Amino acid sequence: MNASRRRPPRESFGNHSRHDPEFFADYGFSIHPDQGDLIYLLCRQMGAKRVVDFATSVGMSAIYFAAAIKDNGGGEVIGAELVPAKVEIAKDNLAAAGLASFADIRLGDARETLRDLGGPVDFALIDGWPMPEGPSLARQVIDVVAPQLRVGGYVLNDNAEPDFLDYIRDPANGFISISLPIKRGTELALKIR
């Protein structure tokens, strides 16, 4: 999947549509394979059973999560994706990998679709889409997911949004974190209380 991913032309990000995820429905914005390997390794180490994948896009991160869940003996990847076409592609990619039974990809706004995760979460990937103004989606989604994350659970952030980093690095919010030299900014946080 990584070798075949297409990138939109750079000029696409300079126009009025750059904040519209539907405008980029034909492109899979996904994690870097090193981030995927880290997700798999940490999920296996902790015996993860319930994980969150925001934003799922075409399913690359969901595949890493689902592979770990399968190898841990079962569980569920709860994905969130706003673009209907990408939900279908992600489901097809999970099916092609033989991992569809381990994933629930929810269509819609993650600030709503992730409100009830069905129990404590072991790991969450917080990715997302840039907002034209106000709090980033990463910051808004961590508000929804953090109360459902178990103590000892991990959060991996893909884009190093400044307001997300302010939240996750503030000891009052119950996390400790570290920046990793993967991609253009990867933050790994552990919930400690």
Side-chain angles (χ1 to χ4, degrees):
M1 286 177 65
N2 189 53
S4 64
R5 81 166 98 185
R6 298 179 315 116
R7 301 247 185 243
R10 185 168 289 295
E11 58 271 10
S12 299
F13 296 101
N15 66 33
H16 67 281
S17 300
R18 75 175 187 263
H19 297 291
D20 178 3
E22 290 285 345
F23 184 78
F24 296 97
D26 293 334
Y27 300 96
F29 296 103
S30 299
I31 60 169
H32 187 277
D34 289 344
Q35 291 168 310
D37 290 343
L38 180 63
I39 286 169
Y40 180 84
L41 181 143
L42 292 173
C43 285
R44 284 305 312 276
Q45 176 276 325
M46 71 187 317
K49 297 291 185 188
R50 180 178 290 113
V51 300
V52 171
D53 181 32
F54 165 74
T56 299
S57 189
V58 297
M60 187 178 295
S61 49
I63 287 172
Y64 282 100
F65 274 127
I69 294 290
K70 177 183 177 187
D71 292 346
N72 284 344
E76 183 176 40
V77 178
I78 302 165
E81 177 54 51
L82 189 60
V83 179
K86 287 186 177 184
V87 170
E88 293 309 313
I89 294 168
K91 289 179 177 181
D92 289 347
N93 287 334
L94 283 155
L99 298 168
S101 64
F102 299 98
D104 170 19
I105 309 301
R106 299 175 180 180
L107 173 63
D109 187 325
R111 295 167 291 188
E112 298 302 322
T113 63
L114 299 180
R115 287 212 177 272
D116 181 3
L117 298 171
V121 172
D122 298 305
F123 198 116
L125 172 64
I126 305 292
D127 196 344
W129 192 255
M131 302 292 285
E133 57 189 38
S136 70
L137 276 175
R139 177 65 180 87
Q140 294 176 59
V141 170
I142 194 65
D143 281 339
V144 173
V145 172
Q148 300 177 79
L149 187 71
R150 72 170 175 86
V151 171
Y154 288 107
V155 175
L156 187 71
N157 173 253
D158 183 34
N159 295 321
E161 293 92 340
D163 60 346
F164 175 88
L165 295 178
D166 289 345
Y167 172 86
I168 211 78
R169 292 175 179 170
D170 182 344
N173 294 320
F175 290 91
I176 55 174
S177 72
I178 185 171
S179 295
L180 302 174
I182 303 173
K183 207 173 172 184
R184 292 177 310 275
T186 299
E187 190 81 1
L188 179 64
L190 174 70
K191 187 171 182 179
I192 57 172
R193 59 175 172 75

